[in-house]
Amino acid sequence: MKYIWIFVIALLAAAPTRAADQPTADVCVVVGDPGEDTYATGFEKAAQTWQDNCKKADATCTVIGLDDQKDADPAKNSLDRDQLKDWIAKLAPDATTPVWIVYLGHGTFDGKDSRFNLRGEDVSATELATWLKPVTRPVILIDGSSASAPF
């Protein structure tokens, strides 16, 4: 709960530097592959908390990983990964409002690179860094997974 208040305070602190019609931040909550139903429920609740607090703070909030993929093409196993990459590519790279990326899930480390476990193909810390390279605005990454240090 303490982290949610830190989040809200940080978003509100950004408010005076933005135009009245702009959000306080662009937030992307990425819900990873839960693996088990027990984790799925907790991840869904955490994602909803982020959405509720973004609304209160007038921040845009995109959630990746909770949509139903039963109709998705099974040959394309990187849907969540592609959504994250596309979301980053569509950001205004030099806006003044911060970008928040929140990982809710599990991670792995193979001795070389850390990965955040998604439904389908995972995303590595190296890939995320490459995708964010054009973004010059403040970026905040909250990685709530294991093996998060490289992120």
Side-chain angles (χ1 to χ4, degrees):
M1 188 66 168
K2 153 176 106 172
Y3 297 110
I4 298 301
W5 284 111
I6 293 170
F7 166 72
V8 172
I9 291 168
L11 286 176
L12 293 175
T17 63
R18 66 180 179 95
D21 60 340
Q22 292 182 334
T24 56
D26 290 310
V27 179
C28 185
V29 177
V30 185
V31 180
D33 187 349
E36 297 178 17
D37 289 341
T38 304
Y39 294 115
T41 302
F43 294 167
E44 288 171 15
K45 285 181 183 179
Q48 186 61 56
T49 300
W50 276 97
Q51 288 177 297
D52 294 345
N53 282 296
C54 284
K55 187 174 182 177
K56 290 176 188 174
D58 197 26
T60 62
C61 185
T62 300
V63 177
I64 296 172
L66 289 182
D67 59 319
D68 187 6
Q69 290 191 358
K70 67 181 173 190
D71 297 325
D73 180 358
K76 184 174 181 175
N77 67 351
S78 58
L79 189 60
D80 291 344
R81 184 179 178 279
D82 291 343
Q83 285 181 24
L84 176 59
K85 185 177 181 181
D86 291 344
W87 182 84
I88 292 169
K90 291 176 185 173
L91 289 171
D94 56 354
T96 58
T97 56
V99 173
W100 290 62
I101 299 173
V102 180
Y103 284 170
L104 302 173
H106 305 290
T108 58
F109 183 69
D110 65 3
K112 294 181 182 178
D113 206 1
S114 181
R115 294 189 168 274
F116 180 67
N117 300 136
L118 298 171
R119 298 178 300 179
E121 189 178 349
D122 298 339
V123 61
S124 72
T126 304
E127 289 168 323
L128 183 65
T130 300
W131 298 345
L132 288 169
K133 200 165 239 169
V135 179
T136 59
R137 58 200 276 196
V139 176
I140 296 114
L141 174 69
I142 299 176
D143 189 343
S145 71
S146 55
S148 61
F151 280 97

